[in-house]
Amino acid sequence: MPDFITPGLNPLEIPEIVAMVGLHIPICKKVFYTDPFNPSVITTTSVFAPRDLLACTAVSRAWRWILLPVLWRSYDGSLMRYVPHHVLQENSIYFRSFRDQFGHYHSGPFLTGNLRNLIISYQHDSAVPFMLTNPVLKHLTWTGCGHPFQDREFTALIGLGNLRDLCLSNWDLSGRQLALILCASPRLARLSLSSVRGVQDLDGMLLLFALEEISLGYVPSDSQCLLELVRYCPSLRRISFLGTWIQEQPRDMLLLSAQIRVYCPEMNSIRLTASYCFGMGAFVTLEDFEYAALVQGAQSLDIFAAEIASLGMMLTDALISQFDALVAVDLCIRRRIQHQYPHDGGGGDETGGSGVGGESDGSGSGGSGDIGLVGGEGSNGSNSTLLMDIINSGRILSTCSRLRVFRLSSAENVIDMDVAMKLFSTPWACLGLEVLSLGQISLPTFKQPSQEVCAVGYGWQIQSFDGTGMAGTMTASSTTLTTASAAAAATTATITYGDTFAMVDASSTSAMIPTLSTAIPGMTPLLGLNDELWPFGSEFRRKLLPQISLLTVLREFWLNKVQYVRATIV
């Protein structure tokens, strides 16, 4: 026994050890139920059921004294909705985290005074009392309903001087100063604002030296000055725009890019998601030159993730210019609404302003349609756009040698296999790639399994739900399934287990996208009900598998929503 342990001391009586054991005892269980509107869909939910931990509290008084704070350290309204109200009140002194975004479950009052994390809605009666009685709060997520801050609410908010994370959503700051909120927490490191109205100016704002991450959701027209927050964040490293702009909303990305370059020299991560326009059934994305401007605004960009209409030349060149720093690129091609710009001749494409809505009239005005749908079904330029996406993706892979993560998917269009072959037109330089994900590639079926392009031969196998590969459990047998084509016509196909890549023996075209209709033993680790099963074409695999065999540190590989792991050699 080591000298520093008192002789005769039982390790199970050391509070730190008992508490660590308690932290690893599950307090929730999963419950499965069938969707009443779709009986084929089985949904899971979690409920608070700490039977094992409660049994531990009954071992001795010492264990009860140690484990009760562990048991009640976190309150989650949805998980604990069946716990009696008086039980929660008695044990609320142990709460360190409180989560109830809708205020539907337990209204309080609660006796806690040591909260660290608070996720709450204005509807909850305890929202303001929690902030007033917990000055050590470090994380606050507070959701409003679009109404202005009341005096009591605003006073409670600016009294939190120890915040590290602040998330405000759906509030109106008319007549208030955002500067008072942010400057009240000098150690604030992460800030998230979404649908916050009434921010007319940033008067009184001081430099926020600790702020490293900003996330902006939808920014209303009367709060556009929120984009100027970057001027006060010299340590900013990460910025996210999550559906920030809507159709026809003015924006100046060139100015924002210049401000980032001047005021945020440590910026290394940019993420953008598109906002959805329900009336048009499409997404509002930025223009190619706007994405490029943001990328060029960062002096050393490590991560770029965006939902884009197409991977244009300007964005590609901007990403390639960051080749010495870029380690992660995550791109999703979205069907989008074009944005009309007075300074670039309308919402045209990169080649001269000819929008999908009409032909170019030679003046660069974007044709007869002010708004067009790009990348959607029936678009005349969809094939050429997808070809450009693939070619530019290949340029990134063949230039950015430090790249560790690359994801490319098309949310609406299927990428033709012949187009996808352009990925291999030049050798890849990113031999240190760790994550590779390619989606929505149309791969035609073939009748006989080809062992020369078998995935196992290149050291890969299909990922199962339990974290192990499926190759060891497959046999050279087959099962007949009912599949559905893209036109919803019923067809019978045969799924052969002989090859790790699921072979499909069917006289179908490349448009067929089979789906499982019943649960199949041995296949459930790969596919669930109604999941897409993509047949794999040999030509694309002959190019892809040798390429990924060169990626010696690749640990995660996805192709058309199917994950593969390194094969276990027995």
Side-chain angles (χ1 to χ4, degrees):
M1 180 179 293
D3 297 336
F4 58 84
I5 297 181
T6 305
L9 178 64
N10 187 346
L12 294 181
E13 294 179 357
I14 300 176
E16 292 79 6
I17 293 179
V18 177
M20 288 298 295
V21 172
L23 288 172
H24 288 83
I25 298 177
I27 60 176
C28 297
K29 70 175 182 180
K30 288 186 177 180
V31 178
F32 300 87
Y33 65 92
T34 302
D35 189 337
F37 300 101
N38 189 355
S40 64
V41 176
I42 299 177
T43 307
T44 62
T45 186
S46 297
V47 296
F48 186 67
R51 178 176 301 178
D52 295 335
L53 195 54
L54 279 174
C56 293
T57 62
V59 171
S60 65
R61 290 183 178 179
W63 277 36
R64 182 175 182 83
W65 174 76
I66 296 169
L67 293 177
L68 275 180
V70 175
L71 173 60
W72 298 105
R73 67 190 183 277
S74 298
Y75 169 86
D76 189 310
S78 61
L79 291 178
M80 300 182 174
R81 55 189 178 273
Y82 301 122
V83 180
H85 189 271
H86 71 276
V87 175
L88 290 171
Q89 279 188 314
E90 293 174 2
N91 295 280
S92 61
I93 58 174
Y94 303 118
F95 290 169
R96 296 297 179 268
S97 176
F98 189 96
R99 181 188 183 95
D100 191 349
Q101 289 182 293
F102 306 104
H104 294 166
Y105 303 105
H106 305 99
S107 59
F110 296 104
L111 307 176
T112 181
N114 293 300
L115 279 181
R116 299 297 189 271
N117 303 317
L118 178 60
I119 303 175
I120 202 166
S121 166
Y122 83 100
Q123 298 172 317
H124 203 290
D125 297 336
S126 298
V128 173
F130 273 148
M131 286 184 274
L132 293 174
T133 58
N134 292 271
V136 295
L137 203 63
K138 297 188 180 302
H139 174 95
L140 173 63
T141 297
W142 198 8
T143 304
C145 68
H147 69 283
F149 273 107
Q150 303 298 322
D151 291 341
R152 188 163 178 261
E153 295 170 334
F154 191 74
T155 301
L157 184 57
I158 63 177
L160 300 174
N162 294 297
L163 283 179
R164 303 292 179 85
D165 306 323
L166 175 60
C167 304
L168 296 178
S169 176
N170 207 16
W171 285 99
D172 190 339
L173 278 173
S174 299
R176 310 287 183 179
Q177 285 187 303
L178 179 64
L180 292 178
I181 298 175
L182 302 184
C183 295
S185 302
R187 288 180 286 182
L188 189 67
R190 285 169 291 275
L191 174 66
S192 176
L193 301 173
S194 180
S195 299
V196 176
R197 299 182 178 275
V199 184
Q200 301 291 342
D201 53 60
L202 300 177
D203 292 348
M205 186 70 71
L206 302 178
L207 291 180
L208 306 172
F209 290 101
L211 195 60
E212 297 182 354
E213 181 176 350
I214 291 180
S215 177
L216 296 178
Y218 167 59
V219 177
S221 58
D222 60 350
S223 295
Q224 289 297 304
C225 65
L226 288 177
L227 299 174
E228 298 183 8
L229 277 173
V230 297
R231 296 170 53 194
Y232 303 92
C233 307
S235 302
L236 193 65
R237 296 175 179 271
R238 299 173 296 277
I239 191 166
S240 301
F241 302 96
L242 310 177
T244 304
W245 297 278
I246 61 174
Q247 181 186 356
E248 299 301 324
Q249 188 176 28
R251 57 181 186 253
D252 192 342
M253 306 308 296
L254 299 180
L255 175 60
L256 178 60
S257 171
Q259 291 177 340
I260 290 176
R261 189 164 190 85
V262 173
Y263 297 104
C264 308
E266 300 182 24
M267 177 70 68
N268 59 21
S269 175
I270 298 176
R271 301 176 184 272
L272 304 100
T273 62
S275 58
Y276 184 73
C277 180
F278 291 93
M280 299 294 294
F283 291 84
V284 179
T285 62
L286 303 184
E287 297 291 327
D288 186 47
F289 76 91
E290 294 178 303
Y291 290 115
L294 284 176
V295 171
Q296 291 172 344
Q299 297 183 20
S300 180
L301 187 66
D302 294 340
I303 301 172
F304 180 79
E307 293 179 339
I308 58 179
S310 63
L311 181 55
M313 295 292 292
M314 298 180 70
L315 174 57
T316 304
D317 291 341
L319 290 173
I320 290 176
S321 69
Q322 301 276 359
F323 73 95
D324 56 341
L326 196 63
V327 296
V329 174
D330 191 340
L331 303 173
C332 178
I333 312 299
R334 286 286 189 188
R335 175 187 176 122
R336 67 113 179 215
I337 298 175
Q338 289 182 290
H339 194 95
Q340 186 80 4
Y341 280 95
H343 59 272
D344 69 347
D349 58 19
E350 292 79 10
T351 60
S354 178
V356 176
E359 296 181 358
S360 175
D361 57 4
S363 62
S365 62
S368 60
D370 289 340
I371 298 176
L373 296 179
V374 176
E377 296 179 0
S379 174
N380 294 330
S382 61
N383 291 334
S384 61
T385 301
L386 291 174
L387 177 61
M388 179 180 63
D389 298 336
I390 294 298
I391 292 176
N392 287 331
S393 297
R395 291 178 59 203
I396 294 174
L397 291 170
S398 61
T399 306
C400 300
S401 58
R402 296 192 59 190
L403 206 61
R404 297 293 179 267
V405 177
F406 183 82
R407 296 186 178 96
L408 175 67
S409 63
S410 177
E412 282 79 23
N413 285 323
V414 175
I415 302 173
D416 185 76
M417 187 191 75
D418 294 334
V419 173
M421 293 287 290
K422 299 295 183 181
L423 275 175
F424 314 110
S425 58
T426 56
W428 294 1
C430 50
L431 299 182
L433 204 64
E434 298 178 10
V435 177
L436 175 63
S437 177
L438 302 174
Q440 296 290 83
I441 298 176
S442 174
L443 303 175
T445 61
F446 51 97
K447 296 184 178 181
Q448 297 298 327
S450 177
Q451 296 301 322
E452 64 176 341
V453 291
C454 177
V456 175
Y458 288 91
W460 290 88
Q461 60 192 31
I462 295 174
Q463 168 74 46
S464 65
F465 289 160
D466 60 0
T468 60
M470 292 180 58
T473 62
M474 292 184 178
T475 59
S477 59
S478 62
T479 301
T480 301
L481 306 177
T482 300
T483 63
S485 67
T491 311
T492 300
T494 301
I495 306 298
T496 302
Y497 293 172
D499 189 357
T500 307
F501 284 102
M503 300 300 159
V504 178
D505 185 6
S507 57
S508 60
T509 64
S510 60
M512 172 172 285
I513 304 174
T515 57
L516 249 94
S517 59
T518 56
I520 304 168
M523 287 295 288
T524 45
L526 169 60
L527 297 169
L529 295 176
N530 299 323
D531 285 340
E532 293 180 352
L533 174 61
W534 290 80
F536 291 84
S538 60
E539 185 179 358
F540 185 78
R541 290 170 54 198
R542 287 193 182 98
K543 292 284 188 178
L544 177 62
L545 293 177
Q547 179 65 58
I548 65 172
S549 68
L550 301 176
L551 309 177
T552 57
V553 296
L554 191 67
R555 55 179 172 80
E556 185 178 329
F557 171 48
W558 291 78
L559 182 59
N560 290 346
K561 302 180 183 179
V562 178
Q563 184 180 3
Y564 299 86
V565 295
R566 293 286 182 181
T568 302
I569 301 176
V570 180

